[in-house]
Amino acid sequence: MSAITPNNLFQTSQPTGRPSQHDHNYHLQLKTVIGTTTSSPNSFDCHPDIKTFVVCAGSAVIVARVDAQLNVTQKIFRARPNARPVNETPSFYNPSTPPVTTLRNRLALSLKDGGYGAGYSFEESATESPGTNQLTKRTREATCISLSSEGYLLAVGERGKNPRILIFSAATDPPLESPLSVLTDHSFGVRSVAFSPDSRWLCSLGDLHDGFLYLWSINEKSSAGKLYASNKCQNAQAIGWVGRRLVSFGTRHVKVWRLGSISSASPSKLRFEKESRIEKTSVSPGPKTFYGRNCLLGPLIDAVFTCLVAISDDKAILCTDRGDVCLLVLDEGDRTQRLDRVAQVGFGVSCVVVEKESNFVWVAGKNGRLQALLLHVLTSNVSSDSPCSSVTSTPQSSVLSETMPGILAMGMVQGRIVTVDSDHIIELRDIIKRDDDITASACIQSIRLPAHESGVLGATILNQPNAHDSDFFTWSTNGIVLFWMLSGICKGRITIELDQPFPQNDDDGNELRIFRAAAFDEFFVSGDKEGVLRSVWST
């Protein structure tokens, strides 16, 4: 189950005809979210210093804080489609009144004419007033998130045509429905967002049909965002900061972008060696050109780079879908950059995290595999005679299963590893170290946050009191029924045995389709795809 979210969360009933003293306005407010829609490291963030991790849940973003007893408290951020920000930020590429068509707009128009992005969403009228036609506006799904290093700001990127980047205040008591700033320069979806370590910059990467990388300056007082620099970037799948440098990576792509390389001149008029430092003022009223330099990939020329984590201001760990663990070294003095393969773990890696206190690098990926590598071993395996060396190291520990769901995102909080798997289950896993503190053993013990592992088909309120001491129940296609309190605490579960056809086909498997409670909730009735009805007693 992704989220318990009413369809028209921010709608109020509109009185018809003459006002009456019996007319009432109703307002629904989202209080608790169960489960997540996080599907990659782009839609997950974690900060061990503030004991917080962030996940997506449909159009909402959940900032979860974990206390010493491993209790999780939620803070839910979500903005309606026509929400007005605290700080108005005019769009340069998508203004409300179209100026002379620029190269960026011509590219966007050509993509629209070519049919790209069709079916994402609808066109919004620029002259429409904020309070009109709310029923026809669709709330966009959140696809990427980033929490600033101090935990004060939260950036959320949306899916679809003409998406928004929402910047919220993540302070102690922030307005959860009113963003501080709304950035609207992307045209076809936002794939990744990332705050710089000092929170002065926010970088955003558009999806494949957008193809642009934007650098936003963040005002220290108002937290308003302003487009500062941009450039094309089409092969990247994600971005991450390494000190004051930004790294974009993806299919056969690793590129380093330096803040000191930003210029207001045309890219064709400057060479990389003559790039100037950041200027206080710009000759052009538009954004500056954001320059980057590709890394030499060598034997990794066909690799798909999936995740990155910074280990210092000039070093980072990059991993691929083939199990390569690489070390990226950036030298600011002679402006060189070097990518070396330092380990091979034997499975596709989708996420990586560094536990600096214990000197471990954890990688995770397909079939639920989780492996620990010594950080000092990785940094010492770099060869000095090749632009991209190939070194294989022995794993220190590994947890794997051919039947477990893959791990999609991972972080560290309260001394535990937080994982999100392909069944959208969030787990807090123990890290058990050996006595000599040289290796880390398997993360077997874990705490699973309750949620469904497959699509949720319905939810029903229960009569009070009832045998399960619950407020409502939900059921999913795999035959699991969960009983919940309104606070999101799971009170029990029922598993409906589904008769599967033989031979079983994954596409034609049996599914639970309906689950209903009888009078006084003494027993339940279920119906599956094959037409079988069952009665299930509460005891």
Side-chain angles (χ1 to χ4, degrees):
M1 178 168 54
S2 300
I4 304 175
T5 309
N7 189 28
N8 298 320
L9 181 65
F10 296 95
Q11 310 304 327
T12 56
S13 61
Q14 301 293 332
T16 59
R18 205 169 184 181
S20 170
Q21 61 180 356
H22 301 290
D23 290 338
H24 299 282
N25 290 332
Y26 297 96
H27 182 77
L28 298 180
Q29 186 175 5
L30 188 60
K31 289 293 187 181
T32 305
V33 172
I34 300 171
T36 177
T37 56
T38 291
S39 58
S40 72
N42 291 342
S43 51
F44 178 88
D45 202 358
C46 188
H47 285 270
D49 296 337
I50 56 177
K51 306 176 182 59
T52 299
F53 66 91
V54 189
V55 295
C56 293
S59 61
V61 173
I62 313 303
V63 177
R65 185 176 178 85
V66 183
D67 62 17
Q69 289 73 36
L70 301 182
N71 297 316
V72 179
T73 56
Q74 294 183 353
K75 196 179 293 183
I76 304 171
F77 295 85
R78 186 174 185 265
R80 61 185 184 273
N82 58 355
R84 283 185 173 274
V86 177
N87 306 295
E88 294 287 346
T89 304
S91 173
F92 179 79
Y93 291 122
N94 299 308
S96 57
T97 57
V100 179
T101 303
T102 61
L103 174 62
R104 175 67 172 82
N105 285 334
R106 287 201 300 269
L107 175 61
L109 292 175
S110 64
L111 291 176
K112 294 176 185 177
D113 295 338
Y116 292 101
Y120 274 121
S121 185
F122 50 86
E123 293 278 0
E124 292 187 10
S125 173
T127 60
E128 186 180 13
S129 61
T132 62
N133 202 20
Q134 291 187 2
L135 292 176
T136 62
K137 291 189 175 183
R138 182 190 306 175
T139 300
R140 311 290 183 88
E141 179 183 357
T143 57
C144 52
I145 51 181
S146 179
L147 189 66
S148 64
S149 57
E150 302 87 357
Y152 295 149
L153 297 177
L154 173 68
V156 182
E158 293 182 335
R159 176 191 302 278
K161 188 177 179 182
N162 297 329
R164 302 175 299 175
I165 299 175
L166 308 168
I167 300 179
F168 292 94
S169 170
T172 306
D173 294 313
L176 305 181
E177 301 173 3
S178 299
L180 296 177
S181 185
V182 176
L183 314 176
T184 58
D185 281 273
H186 283 286
S187 298
F188 296 96
V190 184
R191 176 172 287 182
S192 181
V193 292
F195 277 108
S196 63
D198 58 6
S199 303
R200 295 178 55 192
W201 304 94
L202 172 68
C203 195
S204 62
L205 174 68
D207 70 6
L208 178 63
H209 301 314
D210 183 272
F212 273 83
L213 180 72
Y214 291 148
L215 179 68
W216 310 84
S217 62
I218 304 300
N219 188 287
E220 296 182 1
K221 295 182 179 180
S222 64
S223 301
K226 181 181 179 181
L227 184 59
Y228 188 83
S230 66
N231 209 331
K232 295 183 64 176
C233 185
Q234 293 183 321
N235 294 330
Q237 297 180 358
I239 52 178
W241 288 88
V242 182
R244 285 181 53 82
R245 283 149 291 191
L246 182 81
V247 179
S248 61
F249 54 93
T251 304
R252 300 184 293 274
H253 173 91
V254 177
K255 194 168 186 176
V256 179
W257 311 77
R258 287 175 167 84
L259 291 180
S261 300
I262 298 176
S263 171
S264 59
S266 172
S268 61
K269 295 181 181 180
L270 283 178
R271 300 184 53 163
F272 181 81
E273 292 79 9
K274 297 181 179 180
E275 292 161 0
S276 61
R277 293 290 179 181
I278 296 179
E279 302 175 2
K280 297 297 182 180
T281 60
S282 174
V283 177
S284 173
K288 301 179 181 182
T289 301
F290 199 5
Y291 280 96
R293 188 177 184 182
N294 290 311
C295 288
L296 297 178
L297 301 182
L300 299 171
I301 188 62
D302 293 326
V304 178
F305 295 89
T306 56
C307 52
L308 174 144
V309 61
I311 58 178
S312 67
D313 289 340
D314 57 1
K315 293 184 179 67
I317 298 293
L318 269 166
C319 302
T320 73
D321 63 347
R322 296 180 180 178
D324 303 301
V325 179
C326 307
L327 179 66
L328 177 64
V329 180
L330 308 176
D331 192 333
E332 186 65 29
D334 56 5
R335 302 179 66 82
T336 59
Q337 52 200 46
R338 178 187 181 88
L339 183 67
D340 296 274
R341 180 167 53 191
V342 294
Q344 169 58 240
V345 296
F347 61 89
V349 179
S350 58
C351 49
V352 59
V353 66
V354 174
E355 186 187 3
K356 294 183 179 180
E357 294 80 5
S358 302
N359 198 34
F360 283 111
V361 175
W362 292 87
V363 295
K366 293 182 179 180
N367 299 319
R369 298 190 179 191
L370 184 63
Q371 186 165 304
L373 301 171
L374 286 171
L375 179 59
H376 69 84
V377 173
L378 297 180
T379 55
S380 62
N381 276 348
V382 180
S383 173
S384 59
D385 57 357
S386 173
C388 185
S389 60
S390 176
V391 182
T392 301
S393 63
T394 304
Q396 302 302 321
S397 67
S398 179
V399 182
L400 58 110
S401 173
E402 296 299 330
T403 59
M404 292 179 62
I407 299 177
L408 303 179
M410 180 171 57
M412 297 288 303
V413 63
Q414 287 288 7
R416 294 175 179 250
I417 295 180
V418 183
T419 62
V420 180
D421 61 28
S422 55
D423 286 338
H424 304 291
I425 298 297
I426 302 174
E427 288 191 64
L428 301 176
R429 306 188 182 208
D430 282 331
I431 300 176
I432 306 174
K433 300 180 179 64
R434 303 288 178 85
D435 294 337
D436 54 10
D437 202 29
I438 297 178
T439 60
S441 53
C443 294
I444 298 176
Q445 304 177 10
S446 66
I447 298 176
R448 291 165 59 97
L449 301 187
H452 283 281
E453 299 178 6
S454 61
V456 179
L457 296 184
T460 302
I461 297 295
L462 286 170
N463 295 318
Q464 299 296 330
N466 57 76
H468 294 275
D469 192 24
S470 306
D471 297 309
F472 67 98
F473 65 87
T474 58
W475 70 93
S476 58
T477 56
N478 60 355
I480 301 299
V481 182
L482 298 180
F483 295 84
W484 306 90
M485 297 181 65
L486 291 178
S487 60
I489 298 176
C490 185
K491 301 292 292 185
R493 63 182 289 161
I494 294 176
T495 301
I496 307 299
E497 298 294 336
L498 301 175
D499 298 329
Q500 299 295 341
F502 184 82
Q504 183 176 353
N505 190 331
D506 293 338
D507 297 331
D508 298 329
N510 195 9
E511 299 177 351
L512 180 65
R513 291 296 181 85
I514 194 69
F515 192 83
R516 289 287 184 266
F520 306 108
D521 302 326
E522 295 180 354
F523 69 94
F524 303 88
V525 177
S526 68
D528 59 28
K529 182 180 177 181
E530 299 295 329
V532 178
L533 296 176
R534 291 180 174 86
S535 60
V536 182
W537 292 92
S538 297
T539 55

